Amino acid sequence: MAKVSSASHMMQLGDYKFSVSSAAFSKLSYETEYRWKAQDSQTEKNSPVQQFIGVGRQSINLDGTIYPQLVEGGLVQVDKMRAEAAKGKPLTLGYVEESGKSSPSVGRVMGKWIIKSINEERKLFLNDGIPREIQFQMTLESYDGNTK
């Protein structure tokens, strides 16, 4: 694990850094599918036998809220996320695993991931149309560049 000099961000995807001072996520959901294939076989109960064929799709869903008046470039944070997605290539995902007074910040590289979708909802508008709150959701899927 690579050490990080200071925990200036929560997680980094490509060049985009999720942080309290830009766009912080408040919920991270990690899902891993496991693939099983039913094999017809004569058994006592005449039910198919299941055979494990490997790990399937892995995905991460991030939900967060941006308060444009409180963070630098608040109105363009989701645009920056979209710019990373528009690169059209797998991005390295890393996050801060441990940070505290007694232990240094330690980064963990999760490998390559692709951005599948970004959703944005703006609300609580001021008189000039600027939102006081921007909620975002991002879906990532792991990328395995191996072709067989």
Side-chain angles (χ1 to χ4, degrees):
M1 289 185 278
K3 291 191 177 184
V4 179
S5 59
S6 67
S8 63
H9 59 278
M10 304 162 69
M11 184 167 69
Q12 183 168 345
L13 178 64
D15 292 328
Y16 188 82
K17 294 180 181 180
F18 293 90
S19 70
V20 174
S21 63
S22 63
F25 53 86
S26 56
K27 181 179 172 186
L28 185 150
S29 304
Y30 187 85
E31 179 183 358
T32 304
E33 295 177 358
Y34 299 92
R35 299 179 304 152
W36 290 85
K37 182 163 176 87
Q39 302 290 336
D40 288 333
S41 176
Q42 185 67 34
T43 63
E44 290 179 17
K45 297 180 183 178
N46 287 329
S47 60
V49 175
Q50 298 288 335
Q51 179 182 6
F52 181 68
I53 57 172
V55 176
R57 185 177 69 93
Q58 296 179 45
S59 62
I60 293 176
N61 292 305
L62 300 171
D63 294 346
T65 303
I66 301 165
Y67 299 99
Q69 322 75 300
L70 303 177
V71 299
E72 185 177 336
L75 291 173
V76 298
Q77 289 301 320
V78 178
D79 293 335
K80 291 179 180 181
M81 294 176 200
R82 287 190 173 107
E84 285 299 303
K87 289 179 179 178
K89 64 179 185 176
L91 305 165
T92 300
L93 177 67
Y95 71 94
V96 176
E97 190 169 68
E98 186 176 325
S99 180
K101 293 180 181 179
S102 61
S103 61
S105 298
V106 177
R108 179 175 177 199
V109 176
M110 298 286 294
K112 298 284 188 178
W113 292 74
I114 57 171
I115 299 173
K116 291 292 284 187
S117 67
I118 297 172
N119 297 310
E120 171 184 11
E121 182 178 316
R122 295 178 175 218
K123 52 192 198 177
L124 304 173
F125 294 92
L126 300 171
N127 289 339
D128 57 3
I130 295 176
R132 291 188 297 167
E133 184 176 297
I134 300 171
Q135 294 180 342
F136 68 90
Q137 299 86 35
M138 179 185 286
T139 301
L140 309 173
E141 283 190 13
S142 63
Y143 174 81
D144 182 2
N146 297 331
T147 56
K148 295 179 181 178

